[in-house]
Amino acid sequence: MSEKTPIADLSNFDFDELCGAFTIEPGVAYLNHGSFGPSPDVVRRMREQWSEQLEREPMQFFVRKLDTALDTALESLGEFVGCKPGNLAFVPNATVAVNVVIESFPLTAGDEVLFTDQEYGSVIRGWGRKCSRVGAQTRLVRLPSPPSSPAEIVDALVEAISPQTRLIVISHITSVTATIFPVAEVCRAAHARGVRVCVDGPHALAMIDLKLRDIPCDYYCASGHKWLSGPFGSGFLYVASNAKKGLEPAVLSWGKSLSGRPNRWQDEHHWFGTYDPAPYLTLPTAIDFLKSVGIERFRSQTHALVRFARQKLVDEVGAVPLTADDLQWYGSMVTLRLPQVATASLPPGVPHPLSLQLWEQYQIEVPIVQWRDAVHVRVSCHLYNTPRDIERLVIALRELIGNSPSGP
């Protein structure tokens, strides 16, 4: 895809107003909220207060207060994500949530689990291990890039469904390409064919208007430390009412409430041994922080900034977008191909040399990822980012890889 469009209008936003709400290392241009999103100071302080309560009187906290505090936090989260709190359980992150589904989902020899070729690597790895144990298989569906419409993505998955397909695992917003997928439509199409759906959704929470009541999935897995800017170690698993049977926790403990109240399905997940639940209990503070800023302001400001980055990288660095310039395709994070950068033969987990150069020479934190035999840059922005961060990135990339405009 090649395009040249007017630079985004940023005049409606005061990008410096909320920078002070976060404590970011001085001198660092942090453009990787999508991987590890730092919390605002008010959230960090509240997490510390919950931990302090625990440390002062652990018996009082665990046995007499925790159940009620978790219920209150689930109510706040359920309101925010548009579902009943009885369908939610706290887990440390989306990876744990996915693994709960992996260990619980019934698969037998010959069954099949479908993914897109943009699914997160650890998710594919986890399901691959499960399938190898039982004699099932995983299959990747190659999606068009760039997609012409959301229906094209739905059609590609529907056409791949076979009599052996039991489950589709799909990202709501992909990690590698930052693309928003039409997961509600995928769920409806899959259910019509007797196939269940697990949505991997860590990037959707707060970045878009997530209402789980409108997404007929069986499972939804999310992390609170990304766009919601909750503490590290805060995530949730949503389970549809008809999918709770047979669900097993990631870690088997007592499986009941410490306070002695009647058991609930969440108890298996909320008590997995002694731990600090402060991240879970602080999620309402993260929600309140975004509400105080204005959730629509957060979304429009961060989208405008990544759109600015997208256009600058296209026009000044020769980057190539992976989708059309439209809110239906990307929100607070965008990925572009860098055609002039060569791929590198790297062991898993080893960063691309360009990523190291950006950090070591310019103190810019931004992922450089390889996908489909090409190198890409993924830019994500939050309320502490400003156009100056984008300008730093553009200047650094021009100096490191030169300028190869993609044309009008």
Side-chain angles (χ1 to χ4, degrees):
M1 180 180 296
S2 176
E3 60 182 76
K4 188 166 185 175
T5 55
I7 295 297
D9 181 8
L10 305 180
S11 61
N12 293 328
F13 306 103
D14 182 353
F15 290 96
D16 292 309
E17 179 184 0
L18 292 164
C19 289
F22 297 77
T23 301
I24 305 296
E25 187 69 18
V28 173
Y30 197 84
L31 294 167
N32 193 19
H33 200 96
S35 291
F36 310 111
S39 300
D41 294 346
V42 65
V43 172
R44 293 195 296 111
R45 288 194 297 269
M46 181 55 69
R47 176 180 180 169
E48 291 166 1
Q49 289 178 29
W50 280 114
S51 295
E52 177 72 12
Q53 286 190 47
L54 165 60
E55 295 289 352
R56 283 179 175 273
E57 223 288 32
M59 277 293 293
Q60 171 78 351
F61 189 89
F62 282 132
V63 177
R64 304 182 190 98
K65 297 180 69 172
L66 181 57
D67 283 341
T68 299
L70 287 170
D71 287 348
T72 300
L74 281 179
E75 289 172 5
S76 176
L77 179 62
E79 179 185 5
F80 188 70
V81 301
C83 74
K84 296 178 180 178
N87 292 103
L88 297 171
F90 287 120
V91 292
N93 49 53
T95 300
V96 174
V98 167
N99 275 271
V100 170
V101 180
I102 289 172
E103 293 304 314
S104 304
F105 192 82
L107 288 175
T108 58
D111 288 346
E112 179 182 78
V113 179
L114 287 185
F115 308 90
T116 77
D117 63 344
Q118 299 182 35
E119 188 49 62
Y120 195 57
S122 71
V123 173
I124 296 174
R125 183 170 181 256
W127 282 102
R129 186 178 71 170
K130 169 69 174 283
C131 288
S132 68
R133 286 174 176 173
V134 302
Q137 65 177 353
T138 60
R139 184 153 62 93
L140 295 183
V141 178
R142 186 179 177 90
L143 296 180
S145 183
S148 62
S149 68
E152 191 175 26
I153 294 172
V154 179
D155 291 345
L157 282 164
V158 168
E159 290 171 6
I161 292 174
S162 73
Q164 290 73 43
T165 306
R166 299 291 174 264
L167 180 73
I168 292 175
V169 179
I170 183 171
S171 289
H172 198 161
I173 301 175
T174 68
S175 176
V176 65
T177 68
T179 304
I180 301 173
F181 278 174
V183 293
E185 291 82 355
V186 169
C187 291
R188 285 189 280 268
H191 285 175
R193 292 158 178 80
V195 176
R196 290 187 171 186
V197 181
C198 177
V199 179
D200 183 29
H203 289 290
L205 183 60
M207 189 198 295
I208 62 177
D209 186 17
L210 176 63
K211 291 293 178 281
L212 289 172
R213 68 172 71 93
D214 299 328
I215 302 174
C217 59
D218 299 276
Y219 313 97
Y220 196 102
C221 308
S223 295
H225 70 267
K226 294 184 184 286
W227 303 100
L228 182 56
S229 291
F232 295 109
S234 61
F236 74 81
L237 170 64
Y238 164 87
V239 185
S241 296
N242 61 1
K244 292 178 183 176
K245 186 177 180 180
L247 198 70
E248 298 288 344
V251 178
L252 194 67
S253 186
W254 290 103
K256 61 183 180 180
S257 161
L258 291 188
S259 67
R261 73 178 183 189
N263 291 346
R264 304 176 185 179
W265 74 276
Q266 295 105 321
D267 293 335
E268 288 278 15
H269 307 276
H270 288 173
W271 188 258
F272 48 86
T274 305
Y275 74 110
D276 185 353
Y280 301 162
L281 304 179
T282 308
L283 276 182
T285 303
I287 293 170
D288 289 343
F289 171 77
L290 275 190
K291 287 181 177 178
S292 70
V293 169
I295 294 174
E296 287 310 313
R297 174 190 170 173
F298 157 71
R299 291 172 182 153
S300 60
Q301 178 171 314
T302 55
H303 176 73
L305 196 54
V306 296
R307 183 169 183 258
F308 174 71
R310 180 187 193 273
Q311 294 170 346
K312 295 281 284 185
L313 289 168
V314 167
D315 296 342
E316 299 189 29
V317 182
V320 180
L322 302 184
T323 66
D325 187 12
D326 195 306
L327 261 174
Q328 74 172 338
W329 291 117
Y330 72 101
S332 308
M333 179 172 70
V334 69
T335 297
L336 301 98
R337 182 164 53 89
L338 298 172
Q340 59 273 66
V341 180
T343 59
S345 179
L346 300 169
V350 175
H352 190 279
L354 179 59
S355 179
L356 293 175
Q357 288 178 299
L358 286 165
W359 169 245
E360 293 172 354
Q361 298 180 35
Y362 300 90
Q363 287 70 61
I364 296 173
E365 296 280 19
V366 68
I368 302 296
V369 296
Q370 296 189 167
W371 178 68
R372 287 192 178 179
D373 299 321
V375 176
H376 302 76
V377 58
R378 192 192 74 182
V379 180
S380 51
C381 296
H382 212 278
L383 293 167
Y384 52 81
N385 291 117
T386 72
R388 296 186 297 276
D389 296 323
I390 305 304
E391 296 286 1
R392 277 179 65 179
L393 175 63
V394 170
I395 291 170
L397 286 174
R398 285 180 63 117
E399 292 178 354
L400 290 172
I401 65 177
N403 178 22
S404 179
S406 57

